Amino acid sequence: MIRKSIASLQQEAAQSGSNTLKRSLGGLNLIAIGIGVIIGAGLFSLTGIAAANNTGPAVILSFILAAVGCAFSALCYAEMASMVPVAGSAYTYAYATLGELWAWIIGWDLVLEYSVGASTVAISWSRYLVKFLGTYNIHIPPQLVASPFEKIELADHTFVHGFINLPAVLIIVAITAIIIRGTKSSALFNAIVVALKVGVVLVFIALGWKYIHPENYHPFIPANTGEFGSFGWSGILRGAGVVFFVFIGFDIVATMAQETRNPKKNMPIGILGSLIVCTILFVLFGYVMTGMAHYTEFKDNPAPVAVAIAHTPYKNLFLAVIGAILVGYTSVILVDLLGQSRVFYSMSKDGLLPPVFSQLHKRFATPFKSNIVLCIFISLFAGLVPISVVGEMCSIGTLLAFVMVCLGILILRKKQPDIPRAFKTPWVPVVPILGILTCLVMMFSLPLDTWIRLIVWLLLGFIVYFGYGKKNSKLAGYASTQKNEQ
């Protein structure tokens, strides 16, 4: 199977000029990007869900366990990113280790994950915006906040059909405009957003700490109910599976490699730094929330943070939390769109997708045409399709990418052990193998419809690859030329 050589990728990373991405990001920028996508609204909901159904106060152990599982993959990503500092993340890594077809599968699947993620988050962003504005008696016509396939119940209990989810469309367009202006502008915007939402998390922890009731921690690990995954140590394991998906996002940092100053040093800092910071915040958040209210109070409650805040005099803090969720969703959309366009950019540069996806703006040096095409597709999807169809952000593609990266480390350590590595994954092969096993367990725990969606999308991808990509692959063309000359 055709593979890219590590040497050619390193040469590509060293290129500069009008048709290359600008290197404008440092280690702190990358940490902020990672935090921006990891800390989303999931923190404010999944913590309560896991505590009520699986772990009790021991949800903090689930956070730690999930972080350790992510760390296996993060360490492998850090080595790959320091060794192959080009755009494309797992797609590029798979191209160098497993071959073109596997690279296509990973790249095609990552595009779906980012698209579905951005669309879903945009729809949820719209819902929270309506709730936030409603507290100030600002009301958007219901027809403009729902898709044509949804019915909205009015105050008089009559129903009307939606026309378009306009806020969801507008947030996608606005974020795309920011991205087109350049990664530096995107990073600045993201840094401001991250500062705001991390600030709200820290305020919640600081204010809530005074209202912790120690009796809420007893028993710290509630007895098992007789069902696997419902309290006891099996509940902690199941809880780790629930909160694991809160952590996913550090891999998007790797798509920024070609826009990073000194990527061999800064990529590991960004990947591992964002994971460490978020783990500390998540553990503190879970500890305070389950200390403020008994874990049973979070049962079947879509806003567990509001339950905890109700035990304090700071009732209006919930508005700040809604604001943080809005801000959090905004940064998740930004990083999803940013990562997606960089994967398309790499695939197009390799000839597997049309050239339009790798054409850069003369002033901003960003793949603006790719951004515009994706903006149209994703905004229409977010505006016209109900969230029940779009579904939750699914992590199966990301987990598959994690498996490929961990496998890639094993392959490269065996076949090309002498390649310079600015960062080396420790305890190889133990860490990559544990990363592969952890991710496979998570994948097989996902529901059947997730697998069906993945298979249908991959079949469509095979049609595109064998109909266009394989015929136009630059690497395959070069290999064929070399063979004919011989």
Side-chain angles (χ1 to χ4, degrees):
M1 189 177 292
I2 301 174
R3 294 179 177 85
K4 276 191 174 184
S5 69
I6 298 296
S8 68
L9 289 171
Q10 291 176 338
Q11 183 179 3
E12 180 183 342
Q15 289 178 353
S16 61
S18 59
N19 196 39
T20 57
L21 298 168
K22 286 185 178 179
R23 295 193 181 277
S24 57
L25 302 177
L28 291 178
N29 296 130
L30 294 173
I31 289 175
I33 287 173
I35 295 173
V37 73
I38 296 172
I39 300 183
L43 174 63
F44 301 105
S45 57
L46 289 181
T47 306
I49 291 171
N53 299 328
N54 310 112
T55 67
V59 67
I60 62 174
L61 297 182
S62 292
F63 274 126
I64 294 171
L65 191 59
V68 170
C70 273
F72 295 137
S73 298
L75 289 167
C76 295
Y77 261 94
E79 177 173 327
M80 279 288 194
S82 68
M83 185 170 54
V84 189
V86 296
S89 183
Y91 158 76
T92 303
Y93 307 155
Y95 216 147
T97 56
L98 301 174
E100 185 175 273
L101 181 59
W102 277 106
W104 170 268
I105 292 172
I106 293 298
W108 187 252
D109 192 70
L110 285 177
V111 166
L112 176 65
E113 296 306 314
Y114 296 157
S115 298
V116 171
S119 300
T120 306
V121 174
I123 296 170
S124 295
W125 185 92
S126 174
R127 290 187 174 184
Y128 277 106
L129 179 68
V130 170
K131 185 182 295 186
F132 185 78
L133 294 177
T135 61
Y136 296 99
N137 291 319
I138 301 174
H139 302 286
I140 303 174
Q143 294 89 341
L144 297 181
V145 293
S147 80
F149 305 98
E150 292 177 289
K151 285 184 178 181
I152 306 99
E153 185 176 4
L154 304 179
D156 60 0
H157 301 296
T158 60
F159 289 87
V160 295
H161 274 282
F163 176 67
I164 188 172
N165 194 329
L166 189 59
V169 172
L170 293 179
I171 189 62
I172 294 290
V173 173
I175 295 299
T176 299
I178 292 172
I179 291 173
I180 287 176
R181 287 189 60 82
T183 308
K184 190 173 182 179
S185 298
S186 303
L188 176 61
F189 173 80
N190 185 66
I192 295 171
V193 166
V194 168
L196 288 172
K197 65 179 178 180
V198 170
V200 170
V201 172
L202 291 175
V203 167
F204 174 82
I205 293 170
L207 294 180
W209 200 279
K210 296 187 296 185
Y211 298 94
I212 288 176
H213 301 283
E215 61 272 18
N216 288 333
Y217 294 127
H218 300 288
F220 185 69
I221 304 177
N224 186 266
T225 61
E227 178 184 350
F228 182 88
S230 180
F231 306 117
W233 283 101
S234 69
I236 292 172
L237 291 173
R238 177 67 59 82
V242 172
V243 301
F244 176 87
F245 304 109
V246 176
F247 285 96
I248 288 176
F250 69 82
D251 62 304
I252 294 181
V253 174
T255 68
M256 302 290 107
Q258 211 162 340
E259 293 158 275
T260 300
R261 300 188 304 270
N262 193 3
K264 291 184 178 182
K265 171 187 174 183
N266 287 324
M267 288 308 298
I269 290 174
I271 292 171
L272 297 173
S274 58
L275 185 61
I276 291 169
V277 170
C278 289
T279 300
I280 294 171
L281 288 175
F282 291 174
V283 169
L284 290 173
F285 187 90
Y287 179 80
V288 170
M289 196 175 84
T290 54
M292 292 168 66
H294 197 266
Y295 70 90
T296 54
E297 296 183 57
F298 302 133
K299 187 74 173 177
D300 300 323
N301 195 304
V305 176
V307 174
I309 292 173
H311 290 267
T312 76
Y314 309 111
K315 312 300 182 187
N316 290 331
L317 183 59
F318 184 57
L319 281 179
V321 171
I322 294 180
I325 290 173
L326 283 171
V327 170
Y329 271 149
T330 302
S331 61
V332 172
I333 294 169
L334 182 146
V335 180
D336 270 341
L337 294 179
L338 201 59
Q340 183 189 47
S341 65
R342 272 40 179 186
V343 173
F344 260 25
Y345 171 83
S346 293
M347 296 174 78
S348 177
K349 287 266 290 184
D350 292 332
L352 304 183
L353 287 174
V356 66
F357 293 106
S358 57
Q359 291 179 5
L360 300 183
H361 195 282
K362 291 182 179 179
R363 177 183 174 190
F364 302 125
T366 56
F368 70 109
K369 290 185 179 179
S370 177
N371 291 136
I372 292 171
V373 171
L374 293 170
C375 174
I376 294 171
F377 170 73
I378 295 172
S379 61
L380 288 176
F381 203 57
L384 301 176
V385 181
I387 196 168
S388 58
V389 175
V390 176
E392 298 178 353
M393 280 185 68
C394 176
S395 302
I396 191 169
T398 311
L399 288 167
L400 181 58
F402 287 2
V403 170
M404 295 296 105
V405 171
C406 292
L407 185 60
I409 290 296
L410 292 174
I411 293 173
L412 285 177
R413 285 290 188 94
K414 184 173 181 61
K415 292 189 173 182
Q416 302 185 54
D418 299 326
I419 293 177
R421 292 165 168 83
F423 177 88
K424 297 187 72 172
T425 303
W427 306 308
V428 174
V430 175
V431 167
I433 289 173
L434 288 176
I436 291 170
L437 293 176
T438 301
C439 293
L440 288 176
V441 168
M442 296 291 181
M443 288 178 69
F444 285 111
S445 69
L446 292 170
L448 179 62
D449 59 347
T450 298
W451 282 90
I452 292 174
R453 175 199 58 77
L454 177 66
I455 291 169
V456 170
W457 178 253
L458 290 179
L459 288 175
L460 178 61
F462 285 137
I463 294 173
V464 176
Y465 174 72
F466 289 106
Y468 179 89
K470 188 175 177 62
K471 297 176 183 177
N472 293 276
S473 168
K474 293 181 180 179
L475 191 62
Y478 175 77
S480 177
T481 301
Q482 292 290 98
K483 185 176 181 180
N484 291 334
E485 287 179 354
Q486 293 173 358

